[in-house]
Amino acid sequence: MQYQYELIESDPVYRGFLKVNRYRLQHDLYLGGKSEELIRERLEQLRAVSVLLYDPNLDRVVLVEQFRIGAVGKEKIPWILETVGGFTPAGESDESVARREALEEANCEIGRIEHICEFMVSPGISVDRISLYCGEVDASNAAGVHGLDHEGEDIRVVVMDAEKAAAELYTGRANSTSIIIALQWLALNRERIRKKWLT
């Protein structure tokens, strides 16, 4: 198989907070030949940054909790525990977004920062990619409710011991992509990152 595809037509079908295009396309098949013409809708122009805020001195993570429309009707309580994050506007670097969002959402200033990975969120319907980081912070005064009023944000800071945060994996509280990947990464890299940041 040559892994070839043809975009026959692209139609912008919705332009609101989200942007949706409808595509008509064909692609190569594993057993040879081409697929029938397919129609697929795709969410466009989505790129985001997420950052796990970690205090190596206190061995604590700073997370945030906020209402999420995607959890309505699917979770008993649609307030989700997450890593700090936001969309990346054109012309701003991912690291700059990580630092800005940490201040806006958790009132934390990031010191050293380490890139974890970049991943696709839901490639069946979206171009959405997240660049994930771990940022060094002082968690001793992290608390309160933050966010930007003009974006309708109402974000509560949640500080947890690193081990307790890891225990939240798969229990319902830490159940979205960025926080799962970030906490798994921290579990594997915690001793290394503490040694690196504490020297």
Side-chain angles (χ1 to χ4, degrees):
M1 190 172 82
Q2 300 296 309
Y3 292 95
Q4 299 293 314
Y5 64 90
E6 179 187 4
L7 292 179
I8 299 164
E9 184 179 45
S10 173
D11 182 25
V13 294
Y14 181 76
R15 294 293 183 262
F17 177 75
L18 297 173
K19 295 171 178 54
V20 180
N21 285 353
R22 180 177 294 124
Y23 293 93
R24 199 157 53 90
L25 59 97
Q26 287 183 293
H27 62 76
D28 285 356
L29 298 172
Y30 288 116
L31 297 178
K34 292 195 173 298
S35 68
E36 298 293 324
E37 281 193 10
L38 304 172
I39 295 176
R40 297 287 183 267
E41 284 88 26
R42 186 175 81 175
L43 293 169
E44 305 288 351
Q45 299 176 14
L46 293 175
R47 178 172 177 80
V49 170
S50 192
V51 56
L52 176 65
L53 305 179
Y54 177 61
D55 184 331
N57 291 293
L58 299 177
D59 196 25
R60 290 184 174 171
V61 295
V62 179
L63 303 168
V64 292
E65 184 182 67
Q66 60 185 311
F67 176 86
R68 290 300 197 190
I69 188 64
V72 171
K74 301 297 179 185
E75 299 291 331
K76 184 176 179 182
I77 300 173
W79 276 259
I80 305 300
L81 190 65
E82 299 176 317
T83 50
V84 162
F87 288 117
T88 304
E92 187 173 1
S93 72
D94 290 342
E95 185 175 322
S96 171
V97 172
R99 293 179 182 280
R100 177 172 52 76
E101 292 290 342
L103 280 170
E104 289 176 9
E105 295 188 359
N107 197 33
C108 285
E109 189 170 335
I110 292 176
R112 287 167 285 195
I113 192 166
E114 183 165 323
H115 187 249
I116 296 173
C117 66
E118 182 173 298
F119 60 91
M120 293 181 283
V121 178
S122 187
I125 61 166
S126 173
V127 299
D128 197 2
R129 298 182 78 87
I130 292 181
S131 191
L132 184 61
Y133 290 85
C134 181
E136 176 193 33
V137 297
D138 176 0
S140 60
N141 294 313
V145 175
H146 305 281
L148 300 177
D149 289 341
H150 70 274
E151 291 185 9
E153 293 179 329
D154 182 50
I155 301 168
R156 183 174 72 94
V157 173
V158 179
V159 180
M160 302 175 79
D161 291 335
E163 293 210 358
K164 184 178 178 191
E168 293 288 345
L169 284 167
Y170 318 118
T171 65
R173 287 204 75 206
N175 63 353
S176 61
T177 51
S178 291
I179 193 171
I180 289 172
I181 294 170
L183 290 177
Q184 288 177 332
W185 178 89
L186 186 62
L188 292 171
N189 291 275
R190 194 162 130 227
E191 292 310 312
R192 177 187 65 81
I193 207 78
R194 289 191 83 196
K195 187 180 290 186
K196 180 178 175 183
W197 286 354
L198 289 174
T199 55

